[in-house]
Amino acid sequence: MEKENLKEQFTHIPGWGVDADWENDPVYPMRDIAADDKSADWKRPAQQTTSKEVQRSNERPEHPAVFGDTLPPTGLSGHLRRYAFHYSESKYRHWLPLLLADRINEVEGVIADVKSGFFPNIWKERGYQAYWKYDRRKLINKVATVAAVSIGVWMLIRRK
Amino acid sequence: MKAMNYRGPFRVRVEEKPMPKILHPEDAIVQVTRACICGSDLHLYHGMVPDTRIGSTFGHEFIGVVREVGTGVTKVKVGDKVLVPFNIACGRCNFCKQGLFANCHESNAMATAVGGIFGYSHIAGGFDGGQAEFVRVPYADVGPTIIPSDMDDEDALLLTDVLPTGYQAAEMGGIKVGDTVVVFGAGPVGIMAARCAWLFGATRVIVIDHLEYRLEFVRQYAACEAYNFRSMDDPVLFIKRITDWLGADVCIDAVGSDACGNAMQTITGKKLLLQAGAATALHWAINAVKKGGIVSVVGVYGPTDNLVPIGNVVNKGITIRANQTSVKRLLPKLMDHVRKGVLSPKDIITHRFALEDIAEAYQMFSAKLDECIKPVLIPSTNN
Ligand SMILES: NC(=O)c1ccc[n+]([C@@H]2O[C@H](COP(=O)([O-])OP(=O)(O)OC[C@H]3O[C@@H](n4cnc5c(N)ncnc54)[C@H](O)[C@@H]3O)[C@@H](O)[C@H]2O)c1
Ligand SMILES: [Zn+2]
Ligand SMILES: [Zn+2]
């Protein structure tokens, strides 16, 4: 392909071809092989310390130098999270308990809110004002479907 | 300080939180002036990412002013206006040294597969994010980059993730001059990927999505072809047909696990969570690429498994390249492109919200209301 011809053809696109390497594939080697000394003993940054409970993947022997220490596990969801971290990132026993913990954690969140005298405003938290403004019909459909399903389930339970 | 607070799938609010503290000598505290919501945040918002704890503050795309630095910080100082790459990276480990800043080994205790990311669940390290007034920024000498005085703040904001990610998507595609590139997804990332594909000498760029307003936008913004997959029986066949029946040289997945378009993928991936989200776009990318071609994946998937036609990867001799973006590696080049006017990322911003209105902002971006492409949050302390 003629370089100059092509450049001419694409003048309407600012920067066309500026990062092209006419000889090379791939454009960028994703590993800088020269920088890889194949060892795990780089000069580590200072170690962060904490008095909080911080989970650690069992695929590493110690904490990294820096870590996030927000939201230590609590309650039932916390037990599940601790359990999950006994298993590697390769195991369903790691991920499924974590997903379950997330769902339980939501309920725990509502209970904590109510206990502190705060009733979460679900309409507001779900940003339904935006829906109401821009796609009212879809919102009404959504709410109607949820209501219909809930009533249906409730009637089924009552019939038993 | 005020901060976004996650309460469960589709439920967020703004609440008072304690001010973040310096926890490590190389930390800084940054006062946020602008933050974005990203397609990646939607995976959290939809409850699809395991270990997303109630009370988390999301936000990995933000700029701000340095308000405090630890004793080990030497390059940035109090008062500096910085853009903060979404990766938390030490700059010293074997991976950082190779330019793989997204894969740093010294920033995430909870998973080894990915480095730390601001406000991205405990899988990505359990750090609070930038959809708040203040944020703790570790390794402040490595990631944070001073915003040049001639650069628009909102261009700088999009340099924290979206532009580098679109660029890296094109880069990993190994695009050669004369290539045809198909980009799945016309969200902020797909739009940038399409725009950047030209920089590598692509001579044909095609974008696939199902939202007409985004297709229309990308046609203008990236001067490319754009098609609606809802109007096709079979997107793979469609792509074959318009590429001499051979397929595209490069396919880019800029959709990730929230894909729609295939009922089986949607039900197993998004409703039943039997797989880590719906892999519809990746499936199409693998099947629509030319034999010997390259599939570049920047769309994000969960940590378990996804259904993709791996047999075809073998049979067609496809190369797959994928990663979270190593923002710092790309910043010098991309800042240069922005300053020279080659790229103008801020043009994709469609909505600006006060931080307090975060719930509406999330719903609007998630449900794609009011032709939303990229929403920005502004803490009230920084109007
Ligand atoms: N690798 C990284 O470092 C990185 C960084 C940022 C974002 N991401 C990921 O990139 C993806 C896109 O992000 P975004 O901000 O543009 O999100 P977005 O939600 O705004 O855009 C996704 C687009 O994909 C479209 N889409 C859905 N199903 C599709 C299909 N089957 N085929 C084609 N298009 C389809 C949607 O209509 C939407 O326009 C997300 O998965 C996000 O997590 C990755
Ligand atoms: Zn992002
Ligand atoms: Zn590192």
Side-chain angles (χ1 to χ4, degrees):
Chain A
M1 230 161 300
E2 282 300 317
K3 192 167 167 179
E4 288 317 311
N5 282 352
L6 273 178
K7 276 198 174 148
E8 200 91 319
Q9 207 180 315
F10 287 98
T11 45
H12 63 290
I13 294 172
W16 183 86
V18 286
D19 292 336
D21 184 332
W22 292 72
E23 253 82 269
N24 183 30
D25 172 33
V27 182
Y28 179 82
M30 291 306 295
R31 295 174 62 206
D32 179 355
I33 311 286
D36 181 2
D37 60 13
K38 303 277 184 221
S39 82
D41 53 340
W42 51 83
K43 191 171 177 302
R44 299 190 70 223
Q47 181 64 48
Q48 176 183 337
T49 55
T50 184
S51 52
K52 293 195 195 168
E53 179 184 353
V54 175
Q55 271 61 48
R56 175 168 55 80
S57 164
N58 71 358
E59 292 183 41
R60 58 183 311 141
E62 60 209 349
H63 275 78
V66 157
F67 49 83
D69 68 351
T70 62
L71 301 170
T74 54
L76 177 58
S77 67
H79 283 300
L80 274 165
R81 295 195 205 282
R82 287 184 197 106
Y83 169 84
F85 276 89
H86 288 116
Y87 299 94
S88 83
E89 294 159 57
S90 185
K91 293 283 200 183
Y92 283 117
R93 281 193 196 187
H94 182 69
W95 300 113
L96 298 185
L98 286 174
L99 267 178
L100 181 62
D102 288 353
R103 299 293 94 89
I104 293 170
N105 201 190
E106 183 183 5
V107 179
E108 291 169 337
V110 174
I111 294 171
D113 273 351
V114 173
K115 268 195 180 158
S116 67
F118 177 87
F119 285 83
N121 180 340
I122 302 288
W123 176 272
K124 188 154 185 252
E125 288 180 355
R126 286 181 165 254
Y128 278 160
Q129 298 101 304
Y131 243 125
W132 186 250
K133 195 164 165 200
Y134 296 105
D135 200 347
R136 196 166 299 181
R137 188 183 303 162
K138 195 161 169 200
L139 179 62
I140 292 170
N141 278 345
K142 248 177 138 74
V143 174
T145 315
V146 172
V149 170
S150 319
I151 292 170
V153 170
W154 187 67
M155 280 174 34
L156 269 179
I157 294 171
R158 269 194 39 161
R159 213 194 285 163
K160 279 202 179 154
Chain B
M1 65 147 184
K2 290 200 171 61
M4 176 270 193
N5 190 310
Y6 170 75
R7 305 311 300 170
F10 295 90
R11 284 180 55 215
V12 299
R13 62 189 187 222
V14 167
E15 255 183 22
E16 280 297 319
K17 264 201 177 183
M19 281 288 287
K21 290 198 191 71
I22 301 265
L23 301 176
H24 183 272
E26 296 177 43
D27 282 0
I29 304 298
V30 168
Q31 181 173 11
V32 177
T33 53
R34 291 282 186 285
C36 290
I37 303 177
C38 174
S40 302
D41 293 325
L42 295 181
H43 309 318
L44 302 175
Y45 179 68
H46 297 159
M48 285 166 59
V49 181
D51 215 359
T52 306
R53 301 184 189 177
I54 301 300
S56 301
T57 296
F58 302 165
H60 57 268
E61 304 180 2
F62 58 94
I63 59 169
V65 181
V66 178
R67 289 301 179 209
E68 204 186 329
V69 292
T71 50
V73 176
T74 56
K75 289 193 194 141
V76 294
K77 39 183 205 314
V78 172
D80 281 347
K81 229 168 85 176
V82 289
L83 70 90
V84 182
F86 76 85
N87 330 99
I88 300 173
C90 76
R92 281 150 275 186
C93 71
N94 211 358
F95 306 102
C96 285
K97 278 194 289 184
Q98 296 175 65
L100 297 169
F101 296 101
N103 313 97
C104 176
H105 210 64
E106 295 286 5
S107 57
N108 181 3
M110 289 91 178
T112 54
V114 64
I117 300 175
F118 292 98
Y120 207 72
S121 85
H122 279 62
I123 287 192
F127 295 91
D128 267 343
Q131 291 166 6
E133 289 180 315
F134 295 87
V135 58
R136 170 195 174 209
V137 175
Y139 299 125
D141 278 342
V142 182
T145 301
I146 293 174
I147 302 173
S149 55
D150 62 342
M151 182 176 284
D152 191 288
D153 277 1
E154 289 186 335
D155 276 330
L157 180 59
L158 294 189
L159 278 163
T160 61
D161 179 347
V162 171
L163 176 55
T165 298
Y167 188 91
Q168 186 171 307
E171 187 193 58
M172 290 190 302
I175 297 169
K176 282 179 293 205
V177 175
D179 274 358
T180 294
V181 178
V182 171
V183 180
F184 292 93
V189 172
I191 292 169
M192 287 303 167
R195 181 68 190 79
C196 292
W198 297 118
L199 306 188
F200 293 95
T203 48
R204 195 171 174 202
V205 179
I206 300 163
V207 175
I208 306 285
D209 200 300
H210 68 120
L211 300 170
E212 275 304 330
Y213 75 92
R214 289 187 170 198
L215 292 169
E216 191 44 44
F217 182 89
V218 75
R219 264 181 217 122
Q220 301 299 323
Y221 182 84
C224 61
E225 297 165 55
Y227 302 103
N228 192 328
F229 67 76
R230 298 271 184 219
S231 69
M232 312 163 185
D233 268 350
D234 179 344
V236 169
L237 199 61
F238 174 85
I239 291 165
K240 286 280 174 72
R241 194 178 314 125
I242 63 169
T243 53
D244 286 340
W245 296 99
L246 296 178
D249 299 289
V250 176
C251 281
I252 293 173
D253 171 1
V255 178
S257 55
D258 262 305
C260 43
N262 178 295
M264 204 267 288
Q265 288 275 1
T266 302
I267 291 168
T268 56
K270 298 208 286 182
K271 306 286 180 214
L272 304 177
L273 297 186
L274 293 177
Q275 48 167 336
T280 310
L282 181 53
H283 186 119
W284 290 347
I286 290 169
N287 286 346
V289 80
K290 199 182 268 181
K291 288 182 233 184
I294 297 176
V295 172
S296 163
V297 189
V298 285
V300 163
Y301 293 89
T304 50
D305 305 84
N306 279 100
L307 289 169
V308 291
I310 197 72
N312 288 352
V313 175
V314 178
N315 288 342
K316 294 170 77 173
I318 295 167
T319 299
I320 297 183
R321 289 210 187 89
N323 208 342
Q324 296 280 347
T325 305
S326 286
V327 175
K328 183 185 161 70
R329 175 178 64 82
L330 293 169
L331 272 181
K333 183 185 273 180
L334 293 178
M335 286 173 83
D336 194 50
H337 282 339
V338 169
R339 291 168 87 179
K340 287 193 175 130
V342 169
L343 296 169
S344 177
K346 69 169 186 300
D347 297 349
I348 69 164
I349 295 172
T350 51
H351 290 75
R352 291 171 185 80
F353 295 89
L355 178 62
E356 282 75 7
D357 296 328
I358 194 149
E360 277 177 72
Y362 264 91
Q363 187 58 269
M364 195 127 144
F365 184 49
S366 168
K368 318 295 188 219
L369 301 171
D370 195 33
E371 311 212 329
C372 184
I373 293 178
K374 189 72 178 170
V376 170
L377 300 163
I378 308 171
S380 56
T381 36
N382 294 287
N383 276 326

